[in-house]
Every structure is written in structure tokens, then in C-alpha cells.
Amino acid sequence: MHIHGLIQDSATLANLCTRLAQQPFITVDTEFMRENTFYPELCLIQIADTNEAAAIDPMAPGLDLTPLLDLLVNNEDVLKVFHAGGQDLEIVFNLTGKTPHPLFDTQIAAMALGQGEQIGYSNLVETYLGITVDKGARFTDWSRRPLDKRQIDYAICDVTYLSEIFPKMLAKLKKTGRGDWLDEEMERIGDPENYRSDPEKAWQRIRISSRKPEVLGRLKALAAWREREAQGKDLPRGRIVKDETIADLAGNPPSKQADLAKVRGLSATWAGNDIGGRLMAALENAVPMPADELPPRDDRKLPLGKEGALVADLLKLLLKIRARDINVAARLLARSDDLEALAAGQREGLSILRGWRFEQFGRDALALVEGQLGFTVRNGKLKMTRTEEPNP
């Protein structure tokens, strides 16, 4: 494989992208910093196919990233391969308003191949290639220039190894017939809505026990205010106000700005400065949350009771058995909230009751809660056994 030097000019990048656009797949990774910013600061982009690989310096003066971004989000003929690519997708979305498509995430694919729920990149490389990844440059400051050869070599390895691993994973998926299992998951992580920072929805990320419309209305207003402050200043949300303080203010709003000096988690200066004034304005303009916006009650857990909780535990046991038997990560088959919902009597809207999940697990899970399936021990192993035939 030909490894290019660090690409810092537009012509070289455009030529590379022209060649990569002719390939069936490319592997992609990024290096970024986000400890002190709201938006991740893109510091390096690594890209490869089976013939060549390069690191691209997005901080290089005058570098036009358009050919690369077009390749990632507008070329439907080239599959984009990532490993645990959520944050990489967020960066591309911030630059383009789109996400790479079509895409393939090797961490999710590993779940379908029974290689753990969140296998790390170094473990993936060791499993498929027998190579130990040098982690020496892992925590480097990627924003500092110039980057040295060790940093660039380390970064490029993330895509060169991936270009060798992907065909091996694809062959295994074809052999096991599990490629179709991943389609829904890839579409889910590639949904642009996952990466859109909408201030009006920011409240949904904050934990709060109250369901009172007036409290939730204040929470929504405060969270939207903080989101705009953080975006405008390009600072992490917690640097503006922490979640727990937002929740406290929503539940116990101060009557005047001077009272902000008494709020735990806020600087006393907010009692008289502009940002404190903007916080109070958000509170004063808050309206009770309309009934159609109120979050649903956690109906999956409330009606369980002792017996329902035992049924949920049995479903979790069934999940472990089934995941072991077919050698797949349990989390890919089902999540705990789906199991609890099924135990509570819910039948609509559950992913385990449709598609491949139903065939591989949901059918048996439904039989268990309906009394048609039980457990037995054979040769020291826990097995499922039918107690009666399912209804026609």
C-alpha cells in the first residue's frame, strides 16, 4: 500500500479523491479535540482504500475540503467504513449538514459476529490481523502544529488496518448470512437527526423527575438558552451551566436575578451580569409545556410489579442463552427496556417483535411470556424447552 505524505494542498487532495471515488469502499477516521469547545475541532482526517492511504490536514491554510466532503456525503457508489464512527459522523454533519452514506461500522458488525458489544479498535486489529497497535500517540494534542512523523504514522494505521479488516468481516458476514441484520443499525447511526443540535430539543438530554408542565416548560426554556449560549461561545454545555443546576433552576426558579448568587453551581457574579440576565429572561419567558410535548410516562417499568420484574429477569436470561447459542452480542438482539416492555404486556413498537430480531429472539421471548416456553438443564447447560405449542 502506498502511504502519502501529509496532504496540505487542494490539488493533491482533489486528485486523491478522484481516485478513491472509483473504489468500492474507503476507510475513514478523524482526529479531533473537543475538551474545550462545543463543536469538535477537526484536526486530521485519515482515509484509505486497498491501494493507498493518506492523512489530510484540515487546518492547512487554504485547503479546500470540498472534494473529500463530496466523496463522503454525495457519492452513493462508495461504501464508507468507520470503526465506532459516531463522533466522526458528527464532524462530517457539522461541516455539511449530511452524514456519510452508505456506511459500515466495524464495531457494530463485530456485534453480529459475536465479538463483543463494544470491541475497541486495537482489539479488532489484534483479532483479525494479529498486530498489536502502538497506542503511544493516542492522547496527543492533535491541534498542535507541526505534527511529527510518529503522530501521522499512528493516525494512518487506523485506516490502513481497517482496509484489511473490512473485507475479512464482510466475508464472515456473508458466510453467516448476517449482513442483512446490520442494515437497520447502519441506517440508525447514519440518521442525520442524531447529530443535529436543536436547542428546542436540548431539554430531552437532562434528567429530571418532575412531570409538571410548568417545571418542564422552564427546563425546556433553560436548556434551549444554554444550548444557544454554548453554540455561540463554542464552549461545552457544562462550562455554561451543568445539567443538575439547570434541573434545580427549573424546579426551584429564583424570583429575581439577585437570587442567582445563592444558586449552587452558579458564580455569584451572575446576580448582576449579562449572562445572568439572559438566564432570567429565559425563565420569565418560559411557558408550561403543552400536553402533546410532555414526555411519556415510563410505562415500561411502572406496571411491572414483583411478578413482572421476575418475567423481565427470565427474558434477560433467555436473551443470554440465545445470544450464546447464535454467537451474537446480546445488545444487538435486544435492549433491557424492550424486554421490560414485553414483560409489562406491550406488543406494539418493539424492535424485537419484527424483522430478523423476531426470528432470532422475539418469537421465543413472546412464547416465554405467554407460557409456551420454559427452561431446562441438559448436560450442565441451560436450554429452552417448549411447554406447549404456539397458537396457530
Side-chain angles (χ1 to χ4, degrees), residues 160-236:
T160 56
Y161 292 152
L162 207 56
S163 68
E164 295 181 56
I165 291 170
F166 169 67
K168 295 176 183 291
M169 296 191 84
L170 191 60
K172 281 193 170 185
L173 287 167
K174 288 179 178 178
K175 185 177 181 180
T176 58
R178 295 180 178 183
D180 292 344
W181 294 11
L182 300 175
D183 291 345
E184 182 180 333
E185 289 299 302
M186 299 305 175
E187 290 299 320
R188 180 183 63 80
I189 65 168
D191 185 352
E193 290 304 313
N194 295 332
Y195 310 101
R196 197 181 308 280
S197 297
D198 184 353
E200 296 305 312
K201 296 181 180 179
W203 66 276
Q204 297 172 355
R205 288 191 292 265
I206 302 175
R207 292 178 178 271
I208 192 168
S209 58
S210 176
R211 292 190 77 259
K212 294 180 179 179
E214 59 271 21
V215 173
L216 291 175
R218 290 191 291 266
L219 180 72
K220 180 178 179 180
L222 287 169
W225 161 79
R226 183 184 67 171
E227 197 78 359
R228 295 188 179 98
E229 291 277 345
Q231 291 177 359
K233 294 179 170 65
D234 195 19
L235 288 172

Coordinates of all heavy atoms in Angstrom, one line a residue, residues 160-236:
T160 N -5.4 2.1 7.5 CA -4.8 1.0 6.7 C -5.2 -0.3 7.2 O -5.5 -1.2 6.5 CB -3.3 1.2 6.7 OG1 -2.8 1.3 8.0 CG2 -2.9 2.5 6.0
Y161 N -5.2 -0.5 8.6 CA -5.6 -1.8 9.1 C -7.0 -2.0 8.8 O -7.4 -3.2 8.6 CB -5.3 -1.8 10.6 CG -3.9 -1.8 11.1 CD1 -3.5 -1.2 12.3 CD2 -2.9 -2.3 10.2 CE1 -2.2 -1.2 12.7 CE2 -1.6 -2.3 10.6 CZ -1.2 -1.7 11.8 OH 0.1 -1.7 12.2
L162 N -7.8 -1.0 8.9 CA -9.3 -1.1 8.7 C -9.6 -1.6 7.3 O -10.5 -2.4 7.0 CB -10.0 0.2 9.0 CG -11.5 0.1 9.4 CD1 -11.6 -0.8 10.6 CD2 -12.0 1.5 9.7
S163 N -8.8 -1.1 6.3 CA -9.0 -1.6 4.9 C -8.6 -3.0 4.7 O -9.1 -3.7 3.8 CB -8.1 -0.7 4.0 OG -6.7 -1.0 4.2
E164 N -7.8 -3.6 5.6 CA -7.6 -5.1 5.6 C -8.7 -5.8 6.3 O -9.0 -7.0 5.9 CB -6.2 -5.4 6.2 CG -5.0 -4.8 5.4 CD -3.7 -5.2 6.1 OE1 -3.5 -6.4 6.3 OE2 -2.9 -4.3 6.5
I165 N -9.2 -5.3 7.4 CA -10.1 -5.9 8.2 C -11.5 -6.0 7.6 O -12.2 -7.0 7.6 CB -10.2 -5.2 9.6 CG1 -8.9 -5.4 10.4 CG2 -11.4 -5.7 10.4 CD1 -8.8 -4.6 11.6
F166 N -11.9 -4.9 6.9 CA -13.3 -4.9 6.4 C -13.6 -6.0 5.5 O -14.6 -6.7 5.6 CB -13.5 -3.5 5.7 CG -14.8 -3.5 4.9 CD1 -16.1 -3.6 5.5 CD2 -14.8 -3.5 3.5 CE1 -17.2 -3.6 4.8 CE2 -15.9 -3.5 2.8 CZ -17.2 -3.6 3.4
P167 N -12.7 -6.4 4.5 CA -13.1 -7.5 3.6 C -13.2 -8.8 4.4 O -14.0 -9.7 4.0 CB -11.9 -7.5 2.6 CG -11.4 -6.1 2.6 CD -11.5 -5.7 4.0
K168 N -12.4 -9.0 5.4 CA -12.5 -10.2 6.2 C -13.8 -10.3 6.9 O -14.4 -11.3 7.0 CB -11.3 -10.3 7.2 CG -9.9 -10.4 6.5 CD -8.8 -10.3 7.6 CE -7.4 -10.4 7.0 NZ -7.1 -11.7 6.3
M169 N -14.2 -9.1 7.5 CA -15.5 -9.1 8.2 C -16.7 -9.3 7.2 O -17.6 -10.1 7.5 CB -15.7 -7.7 8.9 CG -14.7 -7.4 10.0 SD -15.2 -6.0 11.0 CE -16.3 -6.8 12.2
L170 N -16.6 -8.7 6.1 CA -17.6 -8.9 5.1 C -17.8 -10.3 4.6 O -18.9 -10.8 4.5 CB -17.3 -8.0 3.8 CG -18.4 -7.8 2.8 CD1 -19.6 -7.2 3.4 CD2 -17.9 -7.0 1.7
A171 N -16.6 -11.0 4.5 CA -16.7 -12.4 4.1 C -17.4 -13.3 5.2 O -18.1 -14.2 4.9 CB -15.3 -13.0 3.8
K172 N -17.0 -13.0 6.5 CA -17.7 -13.7 7.6 C -19.2 -13.4 7.6 O -20.0 -14.3 7.9 CB -17.1 -13.3 8.9 CG -15.7 -13.9 9.2 CD -15.3 -13.7 10.7 CE -14.2 -14.6 11.0 NZ -13.8 -14.4 12.5
L173 N -19.6 -12.2 7.4 CA -21.0 -11.8 7.4 C -21.7 -12.5 6.3 O -22.9 -13.0 6.5 CB -21.2 -10.3 7.3 CG -20.8 -9.5 8.5 CD1 -20.7 -8.0 8.1 CD2 -21.8 -9.7 9.6
K174 N -21.1 -12.6 5.1 CA -21.8 -13.4 4.0 C -21.9 -14.8 4.3 O -22.9 -15.5 4.0 CB -21.0 -13.1 2.7 CG -21.1 -11.7 2.2 CD -20.2 -11.6 0.9 CE -20.4 -10.2 0.3 NZ -19.6 -10.0 -0.9
K175 N -20.8 -15.4 4.9 CA -20.8 -16.8 5.3 C -21.9 -17.1 6.3 O -22.5 -18.2 6.2 CB -19.4 -17.2 5.8 CG -19.3 -18.7 6.0 CD -17.9 -19.0 6.5 CE -17.7 -20.5 6.7 NZ -16.3 -20.9 7.2
T176 N -22.1 -16.3 7.3 CA -23.1 -16.5 8.3 C -24.5 -16.0 7.9 O -25.5 -16.3 8.6 CB -22.7 -15.8 9.6 OG1 -22.5 -14.4 9.4 CG2 -21.4 -16.3 10.1
G177 N -24.6 -15.2 6.8 CA -25.9 -14.7 6.4 C -26.4 -13.6 7.3 O -27.6 -13.4 7.3
R178 N -25.5 -12.9 7.9 CA -25.9 -11.9 8.9 C -25.8 -10.5 8.4 O -26.0 -9.5 9.2 CB -25.2 -12.1 10.2 CG -25.5 -13.4 10.9 CD -24.7 -13.6 12.2 NE -25.1 -14.8 12.8 CZ -24.6 -15.2 14.0 NH1 -23.8 -14.5 14.7 NH2 -25.0 -16.4 14.5
G179 N -25.4 -10.3 7.2 CA -25.3 -9.0 6.6 C -26.5 -8.1 6.7 O -26.5 -6.9 7.1
D180 N -27.7 -8.8 6.4 CA -28.9 -8.0 6.5 C -29.3 -7.6 7.9 O -30.0 -6.6 8.1 CB -30.1 -8.9 6.0 CG -29.9 -9.2 4.5 OD1 -29.2 -8.4 3.8 OD2 -30.6 -10.1 4.0
W181 N -28.7 -8.2 8.9 CA -29.0 -7.8 10.3 C -28.5 -6.4 10.6 O -29.0 -5.7 11.4 CB -28.3 -8.8 11.3 CG -28.8 -10.2 11.3 CD1 -29.6 -10.8 10.4 CD2 -28.5 -11.2 12.2 NE1 -29.9 -12.1 10.7 CE2 -29.2 -12.4 11.9 CE3 -27.7 -11.2 13.4 CZ2 -29.1 -13.5 12.6 CZ3 -27.6 -12.4 14.1 CH2 -28.3 -13.5 13.7
L182 N -27.5 -6.0 9.8 CA -26.9 -4.7 10.1 C -27.5 -3.6 9.4 O -27.2 -2.4 9.8 CB -25.4 -4.8 9.7 CG -24.6 -5.9 10.5 CD1 -23.2 -6.0 9.9 CD2 -24.5 -5.7 12.0
D183 N -28.3 -3.8 8.4 CA -28.8 -2.7 7.6 C -29.6 -1.7 8.5 O -29.3 -0.5 8.4 CB -29.8 -3.2 6.6 CG -29.1 -4.0 5.5 OD1 -27.8 -3.9 5.4 OD2 -29.7 -4.7 4.7
E184 N -30.4 -2.2 9.4 CA -31.2 -1.3 10.2 C -30.3 -0.5 11.2 O -30.5 0.7 11.4 CB -32.2 -2.1 11.1 CG -33.1 -1.2 11.9 CD -34.1 -2.0 12.7 OE1 -34.5 -3.1 12.2 OE2 -34.5 -1.6 13.8
E185 N -29.3 -1.1 11.7 CA -28.4 -0.5 12.6 C -27.5 0.6 11.9 O -27.3 1.7 12.5 CB -27.4 -1.5 13.3 CG -28.1 -2.4 14.3 CD -28.7 -1.6 15.5 OE1 -28.0 -0.9 16.1 OE2 -29.9 -1.7 15.7
M186 N -27.1 0.3 10.7 CA -26.3 1.3 10.0 C -27.1 2.5 9.6 O -26.6 3.6 9.7 CB -25.7 0.6 8.7 CG -24.8 -0.5 9.0 SD -23.4 -0.2 10.1 CE -22.6 -1.8 10.2
E187 N -28.4 2.3 9.2 CA -29.3 3.4 8.9 C -29.5 4.2 10.2 O -29.6 5.4 10.1 CB -30.6 2.9 8.3 CG -30.4 2.3 6.9 CD -29.9 3.3 5.9 OE1 -30.4 4.5 6.0 OE2 -29.1 3.0 5.1
R188 N -29.6 3.5 11.3 CA -29.9 4.2 12.6 C -28.7 5.2 12.9 O -29.0 6.3 13.2 CB -30.1 3.2 13.7 CG -30.4 3.9 15.1 CD -30.6 2.8 16.1 NE -29.3 2.1 16.3 CZ -28.3 2.5 17.0 NH1 -28.3 3.7 17.6 NH2 -27.2 1.7 17.2
I189 N -27.5 4.7 12.9 CA -26.4 5.5 13.3 C -26.1 6.6 12.2 O -25.5 7.6 12.5 CB -25.1 4.7 13.6 CG1 -24.6 4.0 12.3 CG2 -25.3 3.7 14.7 CD1 -23.2 3.5 12.4
G190 N -26.6 6.4 11.0 CA -26.3 7.3 9.9 C -27.4 8.4 9.8 O -27.3 9.3 9.0
D191 N -28.4 8.3 10.7 CA -29.5 9.3 10.6 C -29.0 10.7 11.0 O -28.5 10.9 12.1 CB -30.7 8.8 11.6 CG -31.9 9.8 11.5 OD1 -31.8 10.8 10.8 OD2 -32.9 9.4 12.1
P192 N -29.1 11.7 10.1 CA -28.6 13.0 10.4 C -29.2 13.6 11.7 O -28.6 14.4 12.4 CB -28.9 13.8 9.2 CG -29.0 12.8 8.1 CD -29.6 11.6 8.7
E193 N -30.4 13.2 12.0 CA -31.1 13.8 13.2 C -30.3 13.5 14.5 O -30.5 14.2 15.5 CB -32.5 13.3 13.3 CG -33.4 13.9 12.2 CD -33.4 15.4 12.2 OE1 -33.6 16.0 13.3 OE2 -33.3 16.0 11.1
N194 N -29.6 12.4 14.5 CA -28.8 12.1 15.7 C -27.7 13.1 16.0 O -27.2 13.2 17.1 CB -28.0 10.7 15.4 CG -29.0 9.5 15.3 OD1 -30.1 9.6 15.8 ND2 -28.6 8.5 14.6
Y195 N -27.3 13.9 15.0 CA -26.2 14.8 15.1 C -26.6 16.3 15.1 O -25.8 17.2 15.1 CB -25.2 14.5 14.1 CG -24.9 13.0 14.0 CD1 -25.4 12.2 13.1 CD2 -24.1 12.4 15.0 CE1 -25.2 10.8 13.1 CE2 -23.8 11.1 15.0 CZ -24.4 10.3 14.1 OH -24.2 8.9 14.1
R196 N -27.9 16.5 15.0 CA -28.4 17.9 14.9 C -28.6 18.5 16.3 O -29.3 17.9 17.1 CB -29.7 17.9 14.1 CG -30.1 19.3 13.6 CD -31.5 19.3 12.9 NE -31.5 18.2 11.9 CZ -31.1 18.4 10.7 NH1 -30.4 19.5 10.3 NH2 -31.2 17.4 9.8
S197 N -28.0 19.6 16.6 CA -28.1 20.2 17.9 C -29.2 21.2 17.9 O -29.0 22.4 17.6 CB -26.7 20.9 18.3 OG -25.7 20.0 18.4
D198 N -30.4 20.8 18.1 CA -31.6 21.6 18.1 C -31.8 22.2 19.5 O -32.2 21.4 20.4 CB -32.8 20.8 17.6 CG -34.1 21.7 17.5 OD1 -34.0 22.8 17.9 OD2 -35.1 21.1 17.0
P199 N -31.7 23.5 19.7 CA -31.9 24.0 21.1 C -33.3 23.6 21.7 O -33.4 23.4 22.9 CB -31.8 25.5 20.9 CG -30.9 25.7 19.7 CD -31.2 24.5 18.8
E200 N -34.3 23.5 20.8 CA -35.6 23.2 21.3 C -35.8 21.8 21.8 O -36.8 21.5 22.5 CB -36.7 23.5 20.2 CG -36.7 25.0 19.8 CD -37.0 25.9 21.0 OE1 -37.9 25.6 21.8 OE2 -36.2 26.9 21.2
K201 N -34.8 21.0 21.5 CA -34.9 19.6 22.0 C -33.8 19.3 23.0 O -33.7 18.2 23.5 CB -34.7 18.6 20.8 CG -35.8 18.7 19.8 CD -35.6 17.7 18.6 CE -36.7 17.7 17.6 NZ -36.5 16.8 16.5
A202 N -33.0 20.3 23.4 CA -31.9 20.1 24.3 C -32.4 19.6 25.7 O -31.6 18.9 26.4 CB -31.1 21.4 24.4
W203 N -33.6 19.9 26.1 CA -34.1 19.5 27.4 C -34.2 18.0 27.6 O -34.1 17.5 28.7 CB -35.5 20.2 27.7 CG -36.5 19.7 26.8 CD1 -36.8 20.2 25.5 CD2 -37.5 18.7 27.0 NE1 -37.9 19.5 25.0 CE2 -38.3 18.6 25.9 CE3 -37.7 17.8 28.1 CZ2 -39.4 17.6 25.8 CZ3 -38.7 16.9 28.0 CH2 -39.5 16.8 26.9
Q204 N -34.4 17.3 26.4 CA -34.6 15.9 26.5 C -33.3 15.2 27.0 O -33.4 14.0 27.4 CB -35.0 15.4 25.1 CG -36.3 16.0 24.6 CD -36.6 15.6 23.2 OE1 -35.8 15.0 22.5 NE2 -37.8 16.0 22.7
R205 N -32.2 15.8 27.0 CA -30.9 15.2 27.5 C -30.8 15.3 29.0 O -29.9 14.7 29.5 CB -29.7 15.8 26.8 CG -29.6 15.4 25.3 CD -28.2 15.8 24.8 NE -28.1 17.3 24.8 CZ -28.3 18.0 23.7 NH1 -28.6 17.4 22.6 NH2 -28.2 19.3 23.7
I206 N -31.6 16.1 29.6 CA -31.4 16.4 31.1 C -32.4 15.5 31.9 O -33.6 15.5 31.7 CB -31.7 17.9 31.3 CG1 -30.7 18.7 30.5 CG2 -31.5 18.2 32.8 CD1 -30.9 20.2 30.6
R207 N -31.8 14.9 32.9 CA -32.6 14.0 33.8 C -33.4 14.9 34.8 O -32.8 15.8 35.4 CB -31.7 13.1 34.6 CG -31.1 12.0 33.7 CD -30.2 11.1 34.5 NE -29.6 10.0 33.8 CZ -30.2 8.8 33.6 NH1 -31.4 8.6 34.2 NH2 -29.6 7.9 32.9
I208 N -34.6 14.7 34.9 CA -35.5 15.4 35.9 C -36.6 14.5 36.3 O -37.2 13.8 35.4 CB -35.9 16.8 35.3 CG1 -36.5 17.6 36.5 CG2 -36.9 16.6 34.2 CD1 -36.7 19.1 36.0
S209 N -37.0 14.5 37.5 CA -38.0 13.6 38.0 C -39.4 14.1 37.8 O -40.4 13.4 37.6 CB -37.9 13.2 39.5 OG -37.9 14.4 40.2
S210 N -39.6 15.4 37.8 CA -40.9 16.1 37.7 C -41.5 15.9 36.3 O -40.8 16.0 35.3 CB -40.8 17.6 38.1 OG -42.1 18.2 37.9
R211 N -42.8 15.8 36.3 CA -43.5 15.8 35.0 C -44.5 17.0 35.0 O -45.5 17.0 34.1 CB -44.3 14.5 34.8 CG -43.4 13.3 34.5 CD -44.1 12.1 34.0 NE -44.5 12.1 32.7 CZ -45.7 12.5 32.2 NH1 -46.7 12.7 33.1 NH2 -46.0 12.5 30.9
K212 N -44.4 17.9 35.9 CA -45.3 19.1 35.9 C -45.0 19.9 34.7 O -43.9 20.3 34.4 CB -45.1 19.9 37.2 CG -45.4 19.1 38.5 CD -45.2 20.0 39.7 CE -45.6 19.3 41.0 NZ -45.3 20.1 42.2
P213 N -46.1 20.3 34.0 CA -45.9 21.1 32.8 C -45.1 22.4 33.0 O -44.3 22.8 32.2 CB -47.3 21.4 32.3 CG -48.1 20.3 32.9 CD -47.5 19.9 34.2
E214 N -45.3 23.1 34.1 CA -44.6 24.3 34.4 C -43.1 24.1 34.6 O -42.3 24.9 34.2 CB -45.2 25.1 35.6 CG -45.2 24.4 36.9 CD -46.5 23.5 37.1 OE1 -47.1 23.1 36.1 OE2 -46.8 23.2 38.3
V215 N -42.8 23.0 35.3 CA -41.4 22.7 35.5 C -40.7 22.3 34.2 O -39.6 22.8 33.9 CB -41.3 21.5 36.6 CG1 -39.8 21.1 36.7 CG2 -41.8 22.0 37.9
L216 N -41.4 21.5 33.4 CA -40.8 21.0 32.2 C -40.7 22.2 31.2 O -39.8 22.3 30.4 CB -41.6 19.9 31.6 CG -41.5 18.6 32.4 CD1 -42.4 17.5 31.8 CD2 -40.1 18.0 32.4
G217 N -41.6 23.1 31.3 CA -41.6 24.3 30.4 C -40.4 25.1 30.7 O -39.7 25.7 29.8
R218 N -40.1 25.3 32.0 CA -38.9 26.0 32.4 C -37.6 25.3 32.0 O -36.6 25.9 31.6 CB -38.9 26.3 33.9 CG -39.9 27.3 34.4 CD -39.7 27.8 35.8 NE -40.0 26.7 36.8 CZ -41.2 26.5 37.4 NH1 -42.2 27.4 37.1 NH2 -41.3 25.6 38.3
L219 N -37.7 23.9 32.2 CA -36.5 23.1 31.8 C -36.2 23.3 30.3 O -35.0 23.5 29.9 CB -36.8 21.7 32.1 CG -35.6 20.7 31.7 CD1 -34.5 20.8 32.7 CD2 -36.1 19.2 31.7
K220 N -37.3 23.3 29.5 CA -37.1 23.4 28.0 C -36.5 24.8 27.7 O -35.6 24.9 26.9 CB -38.4 23.2 27.3 CG -38.3 23.4 25.8 CD -39.7 23.1 25.2 CE -39.6 23.3 23.6 NZ -40.9 23.1 23.0
A221 N -37.0 25.8 28.3 CA -36.5 27.2 28.1 C -35.1 27.4 28.5 O -34.3 28.0 27.8 CB -37.4 28.2 28.8
L222 N -34.7 26.8 29.7 CA -33.4 27.0 30.2 C -32.4 26.2 29.3 O -31.3 26.6 29.0 CB -33.3 26.5 31.6 CG -33.9 27.5 32.7 CD1 -34.0 26.8 34.0 CD2 -33.1 28.8 32.8
A223 N -32.8 25.0 28.9 CA -31.9 24.1 28.1 C -31.7 24.7 26.8 O -30.5 24.7 26.2 CB -32.5 22.7 28.0
A224 N -32.7 25.3 26.2 CA -32.5 26.0 24.9 C -31.6 27.2 25.0 O -30.8 27.5 24.1 CB -33.9 26.4 24.3
W225 N -31.8 28.0 26.1 CA -30.9 29.1 26.3 C -29.5 28.7 26.5 O -28.6 29.3 25.8 CB -31.4 29.8 27.6 CG -30.3 30.7 28.2 CD1 -30.0 32.0 27.8 CD2 -29.4 30.4 29.3 NE1 -28.9 32.4 28.5 CE2 -28.6 31.5 29.4 CE3 -29.3 29.3 30.1 CZ2 -27.6 31.5 30.4 CZ3 -28.3 29.3 31.1 CH2 -27.5 30.4 31.2
R226 N -29.2 27.6 27.2 CA -27.9 27.2 27.4 C -27.3 26.7 26.1 O -26.1 26.9 25.8 CB -27.8 26.0 28.5 CG -26.4 25.6 28.7 CD -26.3 24.4 29.7 NE -26.9 23.2 29.1 CZ -26.8 22.0 29.7 NH1 -26.2 21.9 30.9 NH2 -27.4 20.9 29.2
E227 N -28.1 26.0 25.3 CA -27.6 25.4 24.0 C -27.1 26.6 23.1 O -26.1 26.5 22.5 CB -28.7 24.6 23.4 CG -28.2 23.7 22.3 CD -27.6 22.4 22.8 OE1 -27.5 22.2 24.0 OE2 -27.2 21.6 21.9
R228 N -27.9 27.6 23.1 CA -27.6 28.8 22.2 C -26.3 29.5 22.8 O -25.5 29.9 22.0 CB -28.7 29.7 22.1 CG -29.9 29.1 21.4 CD -31.0 30.1 21.1 NE -32.1 29.5 20.4 CZ -33.2 29.1 20.9 NH1 -33.4 29.2 22.3 NH2 -34.2 28.5 20.2
E229 N -26.2 29.6 24.1 CA -25.0 30.2 24.7 C -23.8 29.4 24.4 O -22.8 29.9 24.0 CB -25.2 30.3 26.2 CG -26.2 31.3 26.7 CD -25.7 32.8 26.7 OE1 -24.5 32.9 26.7 OE2 -26.5 33.7 26.8
A230 N -23.9 28.1 24.5 CA -22.8 27.2 24.3 C -22.4 27.2 22.8 O -21.2 27.3 22.5 CB -23.1 25.8 24.7
Q231 N -23.4 27.2 21.9 CA -23.0 27.2 20.5 C -22.4 28.6 20.1 O -21.4 28.6 19.4 CB -24.3 27.0 19.7 CG -24.9 25.6 19.8 CD -26.2 25.4 19.0 OE1 -26.7 26.4 18.4 NE2 -26.7 24.2 19.0
G232 N -23.0 29.6 20.6 CA -22.5 31.0 20.3 C -21.0 31.2 20.8 O -20.2 31.9 20.1
K233 N -20.7 30.7 21.9 CA -19.4 30.8 22.5 C -18.5 29.7 22.2 O -17.3 29.7 22.5 CB -19.5 31.0 24.1 CG -20.2 32.2 24.6 CD -20.3 32.2 26.1 CE -20.8 33.5 26.6 NZ -22.2 33.8 26.2
D234 N -19.0 28.7 21.5 CA -18.3 27.4 21.2 C -17.6 26.9 22.5 O -16.4 26.6 22.5 CB -17.2 27.7 20.1 CG -16.7 26.4 19.5 OD1 -17.4 25.3 19.7 OD2 -15.6 26.4 18.9
L235 N -18.4 26.7 23.5 CA -17.9 26.1 24.7 C -18.8 24.9 25.1 O -20.0 24.8 24.7 CB -18.1 27.2 25.9 CG -17.1 28.4 25.9 CD1 -17.5 29.4 26.9 CD2 -15.7 27.9 26.1
P236 N -18.2 23.9 25.8 CA -19.0 22.8 26.3 C -20.2 23.3 27.1 O -20.1 24.3 27.8 CB -18.0 22.0 27.1 CG -16.7 22.4 26.6 CD -16.8 23.8 26.3

